Amino acid sequence: MRSSITSNVVVVGLVAGLASVYACSSGGVGGSGKSTGTGGGGTTGAAGTTGAAGATGAAGATGAAGASGAGGGGGGGGSGGLAGSTAGAAGQSMGGAGGADTAGAGGASTAGAGGAGTAGSGAAGTAAAGAGGGGATGAGLGFGGSDITKVVPTPGCGMAPTGFTPGKLVGPMHIMTMGTKPPNCTDSKCGAWTDTRDYWVRLPTGYDMTKAYPLVFEGPGCGGKGNNLYTLAGLASTVIRVGLSPSAFWQAFHATNPGQGCFDESDGDNSVDWVFYENLYDRLAGQLCVDRNRVFASGEYSGGGRFADELACKYAGDATRPIRGVMSNSGDWAIAPFGPPTCTTKPMAGMWVHQIGDTTRQWSRTKIAIARAMAVNGCTLGTGYDDAQFEPFPIGHASPDTTSCKRIKGCPELSPLVVCLLPGNQHSGNENVVNPGWPTFIKLFSAPPLLTP
């Protein structure tokens, strides 16, 4: 069992003057307007953008050396003044230990060898049309230094899905977590802790144990549980969905929102949720057929949205448990000293849905998450939402939609960033945008250039 690693977090150079911290709305009970049953028939993945970016003449990126355990090696300072290194999650990763559901093996990640980049030759290529992204390839950006556009199956591929029912949300399942919060943690309880966490799993209809599927970890809003999920009918046959419940034990000790049913979202690298994620990732990797290069974090709203943003920032490009992208609705960004965790400097995809007048989780803080993603992705047309350039991102409403969601131009084609800024002042699930929008976004990763043979 590996030892706990903790660190303090500093977010540098993104937004000045945001020093206030607020409690999340206790009215954000997940599940309103959501389906806890089976979704409708999923549509087939839409073809991705076909314009391939020109190859650059620069040397190819070297693959990150695979590392065992949670923490990636210290990264360099991120562009845009972002602090660099990744920190290990607080606590001990226990693989498949504990749990009253199935005694699946931990499915430990194999440390990937550093994928050496191929030296480029010739003149610099021309950026692809459309998103305006650069011509970078996915070499070295995926699990263990792999090409992020290639499928990397987990050890669970080929294993019968014992304890799961394709097309049905199954749970609650349970997994043991433990760790130690340092004496200077921001929660009201520090020191050693042990907690049994709950989660739900929905396998796609027609699940094929030899096919590596995308997987989405889904966090509900404050007061919700792992079975309070969006319908997302468009993902019914194509994606493994895992609903996560906030810790019931830890509610009384939260730094900024005690007793409101939220994730441990305001204690940076010391959050109990990072141990939960690592343990569960390892267990599911040993039980189910997952593509390690297509694992996503999503958050319903309030604490779920912030949780998803933090999970993605901490594990984007991680050597052993990487997150490819985030989908966050009505979340926000934590301000020191109440988080966020130490973020990696690796590129990540993202889609954010937010009402501009939301006073519970303010749009101004979601803009911090967007600016951070633009910086680590190396977007070339702007440094944040306010000076970014956009193109329509239709999400398939009943009539063609070209207004709600927009893709940020000038970002790498392999790490698309989409923003759906909505009118209104409600702290809402925004189901009319999320239910068609998130499946549209996820389908980008099932076709070239984001997925290649």
Side-chain angles (χ1 to χ4, degrees):
M1 210 177 291
R2 54 188 180 75
S3 63
S4 168
I5 305 174
T6 56
S7 67
N8 292 325
V9 180
V10 178
V11 173
V12 182
L14 282 176
V15 170
L18 290 174
S20 63
V21 178
Y22 53 82
C24 78
S25 171
S26 59
V29 178
S32 176
K34 318 290 187 300
S35 169
T36 60
T38 60
T43 58
T44 57
T49 304
T50 59
T56 65
T62 58
S68 61
S79 60
L82 296 171
S85 61
T86 349
Q92 298 167 295
S93 180
M94 297 189 62
D101 50 297
T102 57
S109 304
T110 303
T118 303
S121 61
T126 303
T137 68
L141 298 177
F143 168 79
S146 66
D147 183 337
I148 202 169
T149 70
K150 307 295 185 183
V151 171
V152 178
T154 56
C157 291
M159 297 183 62
T162 304
F164 305 96
T165 304
K168 181 180 178 181
L169 188 66
V170 178
M173 299 180 176
H174 315 286
I175 191 167
M176 178 66 70
T177 63
M178 63 177 61
T180 302
K181 284 180 177 271
N184 64 342
C185 79
T186 60
D187 284 352
S188 61
K189 175 180 172 63
C190 303
W193 57 269
T194 301
D195 190 14
T196 299
R197 300 295 295 266
D198 297 342
Y199 65 98
W200 277 255
V201 176
R202 185 190 187 281
L203 297 187
T205 55
Y207 175 78
D208 179 350
M209 65 183 180
T210 66
K211 174 184 175 181
Y213 291 86
L215 182 148
V216 180
F217 287 102
E218 304 181 38
C222 294
K225 295 184 178 181
N227 61 340
N228 300 131
L229 306 180
Y230 286 109
T231 304
L232 301 181
L235 301 180
S237 62
T238 58
V239 171
I240 297 171
R241 302 178 61 186
V242 181
L244 309 176
S245 292
S247 168
F249 167 75
W250 209 258
Q251 291 305 312
F253 311 120
H254 286 321
T256 59
N257 45 24
Q260 296 183 27
C262 302
F263 286 97
D264 190 19
E265 53 173 58
S266 300
D267 202 8
D269 291 314
N270 306 318
S271 171
V272 298
D273 296 324
W274 312 143
V275 187
F276 181 29
Y277 166 71
E278 293 187 0
N279 287 10
L280 186 53
Y281 182 107
D282 291 346
R283 171 183 282 187
L284 296 176
Q287 295 175 330
L288 302 174
C289 195
V290 178
D291 179 5
R292 292 188 187 272
N293 282 336
R294 290 185 293 165
V295 176
F296 299 85
S298 73
E300 182 181 328
Y301 60 103
S302 68
R306 181 188 286 189
F307 163 75
D309 275 321
E310 292 186 348
L311 182 64
C313 98
K314 183 174 178 63
Y315 290 95
D318 186 76
T320 54
R321 305 174 185 93
I323 291 289
R324 180 73 178 269
V326 64
M327 296 171 292
S328 176
N329 174 70
S330 299
D332 66 351
W333 191 254
I335 301 298
F338 301 104
T342 305
C343 298
T344 76
T345 56
K346 301 296 180 64
M348 53 169 271
M351 183 174 186
W352 294 268
V353 181
H354 211 110
Q355 292 192 22
I356 192 170
D358 187 340
T359 57
T360 302
R361 297 278 174 158
Q362 299 168 0
W363 163 240
S364 60
R365 291 198 174 186
T366 291
K367 289 199 296 185
I368 302 175
I370 295 168
R372 194 207 74 84
M374 291 179 66
V376 297
N377 287 9
C379 299
T380 58
L381 300 177
T383 58
Y385 179 85
D386 292 336
D387 64 351
Q389 297 183 28
F390 302 91
E391 62 183 0
F393 186 78
I395 58 174
H397 280 131
S399 59
D401 169 42
T402 59
T403 58
S404 296
C405 301
K406 299 182 184 297
R407 181 168 175 168
I408 299 176
K409 299 174 68 174
C411 297
E413 207 169 15
L414 301 183
S415 302
L417 302 177
V418 175
V419 183
C420 307
L421 182 59
L422 311 176
N425 57 6
Q426 300 299 309
H427 186 55
S428 166
N430 298 312
E431 289 87 351
N432 62 322
V433 174
V434 170
N435 279 322
W438 287 5
T440 302
F441 182 72
I442 287 286
K443 287 173 185 175
L444 294 176
F445 300 86
S446 295
L450 281 73
L451 180 67
T452 60

